[in-house]
Amino acid sequence: VIRFIALVFAILFVGPIMLLLTPLRLLHPTLRRRGVKYLPLDVIQVLFCKLITNVIGVDIKVEGLELITDSKPKIFMYNHLSNLDPFILGGSNPIVSKMIAKKSLFWIPRTLR
């Protein structure tokens, strides 16, 4: 029951905060030129993912971090096994990541009448 309440709180509280802070994305090019490594929304994204995985009780074990050594751009491709994968990957990846998805994943199926 406590985990459910915490999960609902996280979704209802952190989600709107992220939407309110979305205009900060306009500052990202300026912040990057000034050498800011972690942008404000990136920090919130990682914290939100870690919060969700902790509330749900997911224990994350990461292997192979020593293979990520330089600062060159990288592409990570994942085989999603559950709907929690974006949260697990967002909270455990040492590099702040941007995710893309197929448009069809956001379709809402019509119910039978």
Side-chain angles (χ1 to χ4, degrees):
V1 173
I2 293 174
R3 283 188 178 173
F4 177 75
I5 293 170
L7 179 63
V8 169
F9 173 77
I11 291 171
L12 293 177
F13 182 69
V14 177
I17 287 177
M18 288 181 73
L19 285 175
L20 290 173
L21 295 177
T22 300
L24 285 176
R25 283 273 184 217
L26 299 173
L27 295 175
H28 283 194
T30 305
L31 293 173
R32 286 275 187 218
R33 280 193 298 270
R34 293 181 181 237
V36 175
K37 185 175 180 181
Y38 298 107
L39 302 172
L41 287 179
D42 296 339
V43 172
I44 293 170
Q45 170 191 332
V46 170
L47 293 176
F48 180 69
C49 290
K50 288 184 180 195
L51 174 69
I52 294 293
T53 54
N54 286 336
V55 166
I56 293 174
V58 175
D59 186 29
I60 301 172
K61 179 182 177 187
V62 180
E63 296 178 1
L65 287 179
E66 66 277 359
L67 300 175
I68 303 173
T69 56
D70 57 0
S71 62
K72 293 180 184 175
K74 293 165 183 49
I75 296 177
F76 294 97
M77 295 182 67
Y78 302 102
N79 181 11
H80 294 286
L81 300 175
S82 76
N83 290 334
L84 294 176
D85 285 352
F87 299 110
I88 294 170
L89 300 172
S92 64
N93 197 346
I95 300 172
V96 177
S97 58
K98 307 294 185 244
M99 299 182 189
I100 59 172
K102 286 176 51 177
K103 184 178 180 180
S104 63
L105 293 175
F106 299 101
W107 291 347
I108 299 173
R110 294 181 64 174
T111 58
L112 298 174
R113 296 177 195 199

